[in-house]
Amino acid sequence: MGTKTAAILFTACLLLSACTATKPESAATSNQQDSVASDSGNSAKDQCSVSSPKSSSKQAGSDDHNSAGKTNAQNDKTSESNETGAATSATTNNKMYHLNKAYNVIPNQQGTEKKVVLLTFDDGPKEAAMINKIIDVLDKHKAKAIFFVNGYRVKEHPELLKLIHDREQPIGNHSWDHIVLKNKSEPEVKKQIESVQKVVKDITGQAPVFFRPPHGAGGDVGRKVAKENGLLYMTWSVGSLDWTMKKNQPNKTEALLKNVTEQLHPGSNILMHELPWTAEALDSLLTRLEQKGYQFVDPQSIEVPASK
């Protein structure tokens, strides 16, 4: 009886040992097929993941290499993304204003000064003495203005464009020939705008980012071509009417001051020209604007379209 019992117990142990040895493979197969999220399944999956030392070493080496490559790529990407983000953030931080549909200067955020004006001068560059006189007054009042230039004038006197640039005033695109663009074909409008972009960049190293169509008439094609060249399209919201004045007209300074102040409002985009009487009246105009509590917006703080 004792011998039989011992034999039975021995046989049972052998069977139990065999069953235990096959359980991990069976459990692993079951988990791979069913992906059951249970304690027993997880346990079997852990057991299934154990492989031979050689296989494990090879896979680890391959994974380490791939992982390192992927990590470096991710790090490069992250670094690149961080740099781009920082640059974008800096650019965004500098762009405190935008132009609305009426071409007024509008703050991007609450708390940004609203009582500002944008100063602009069209139809240059004309004469060194007049340009210097205008910029001397701008410097006196710590102001910047956009000088919208015509390509044919730049071609005749590139040194005048360089003068404006060297005196650190922004340069805008006012087309090549100062013609009405709204009724022109797209190829002609492109030529009028893009030729100015090129000549200004060739002389100063920087292409304009502001575009004002002659006579305020660019049309849909003018807007399209300006946008394609990363230019902010604008006309104006306050006209000085200096272009209507005659050389022998009396009291031009007072007339100009009246024209501007009667239309004045926060965000005014003021149109002036490179004209002798405008240069003469500028100090009085800026002084009066300051007395009314206005500040001069830096054109570089205005949002412009992204270049393609």
Side-chain angles (χ1 to χ4, degrees):
M1 206 47 196
T3 304
K4 278 185 180 182
T5 302
I8 291 168
L9 287 173
F10 179 75
T11 303
C13 286
L14 288 174
L15 288 171
L16 182 61
S17 174
C19 289
T20 303
T22 58
K23 188 174 180 181
E25 184 180 348
S26 145
T29 302
S30 174
N31 271 277
Q32 286 172 348
Q33 289 173 345
D34 301 327
S35 299
V36 177
S38 64
D39 290 342
S40 61
N42 288 339
S43 173
K45 191 174 182 182
D46 291 342
Q47 291 175 6
C48 179
S49 66
V50 177
S51 55
S52 69
K54 184 182 286 187
S55 168
S56 179
S57 173
K58 184 177 180 180
Q59 185 66 36
S62 173
D63 285 347
D64 286 346
H65 179 73
N66 290 337
S67 175
K70 189 180 287 186
T71 302
N72 288 338
Q74 287 172 342
N75 286 342
D76 289 343
K77 204 171 208 177
T78 302
S79 174
E80 193 175 302
S81 173
N82 288 341
E83 288 174 7
T84 303
T88 303
S89 176
T91 302
T92 303
N93 288 339
N94 289 335
K95 305 303 180 185
M96 300 165 60
Y97 298 93
H98 65 276
L99 295 188
N100 66 8
K101 291 181 179 179
Y103 306 110
N104 289 309
V105 180
I106 307 297
N108 286 339
Q109 296 181 344
Q110 287 186 347
T112 302
E113 180 59 54
K114 293 180 180 179
K115 206 170 182 181
V116 296
V117 298
L118 174 63
L119 305 173
T120 68
F121 295 89
D122 285 13
D123 297 357
K126 290 182 178 178
E127 299 173 11
M130 187 162 52
I131 291 169
N132 278 319
K133 187 171 184 177
I134 290 171
I135 298 178
D136 284 346
V137 174
L138 293 172
D139 287 349
K140 175 183 175 181
H141 292 268
K142 296 181 173 58
K144 298 290 184 184
I146 304 173
F147 285 75
F148 285 101
V149 300
N150 296 125
Y152 79 92
R153 291 187 185 275
V154 171
K155 185 179 179 181
E156 289 172 0
H157 294 287
E159 75 281 0
L160 297 181
L161 183 80
K162 193 169 186 306
L163 170 62
I164 297 170
H165 176 73
D166 289 347
R167 296 206 60 180
E168 300 181 344
Q169 294 293 331
I171 293 167
N173 185 327
H174 199 40
S175 86
W176 188 270
D177 289 311
H178 201 273
I179 59 175
V180 175
L181 298 176
K182 67 178 182 179
N183 297 323
K184 304 298 181 186
S185 66
E186 185 168 341
E188 188 168 358
V189 173
K190 283 176 70 70
K191 184 178 179 182
Q192 284 288 322
I193 293 175
E194 293 178 357
S195 57
V196 176
Q197 291 296 95
K198 183 180 186 305
V199 73
V200 172
K201 186 171 184 180
D202 287 347
I203 294 168
T204 69
Q206 297 174 351
V209 295
F210 302 105
F211 172 69
R212 174 175 284 158
H215 313 287
D220 291 339
V221 174
R223 293 174 186 276
K224 177 178 179 288
V225 175
K227 186 176 181 181
E228 288 172 351
N229 284 273
L231 287 157
L232 177 62
Y233 181 105
M234 71 169 81
T235 59
W236 59 90
S237 61
V238 171
S240 67
L241 300 181
D242 59 354
W243 65 95
T244 67
M245 299 174 187
K246 306 300 181 184
K247 188 175 181 180
N248 58 354
Q249 179 180 328
N251 304 317
K252 289 191 289 293
T253 295
E254 282 306 315
L256 190 149
L257 293 174
K258 184 180 179 183
N259 290 338
V260 172
T261 55
E262 283 184 348
Q263 305 171 68
L264 192 62
H265 56 271
S268 292
N269 178 350
I270 303 174
L271 168 62
M272 296 175 283
H273 291 77
E274 284 187 28
L275 292 168
W277 44 89
T278 304
E280 192 66 37
L282 189 60
D283 189 29
S284 296
L285 175 62
L286 301 194
T287 299
R288 189 166 297 188
L289 293 176
E290 287 170 330
Q291 289 171 346
K292 290 179 176 291
Y294 283 88
Q295 296 180 21
F296 310 114
V297 70
D298 186 341
Q300 291 185 346
S301 69
I302 300 173
E303 289 179 353
V304 298
S307 298
K308 289 190 175 182

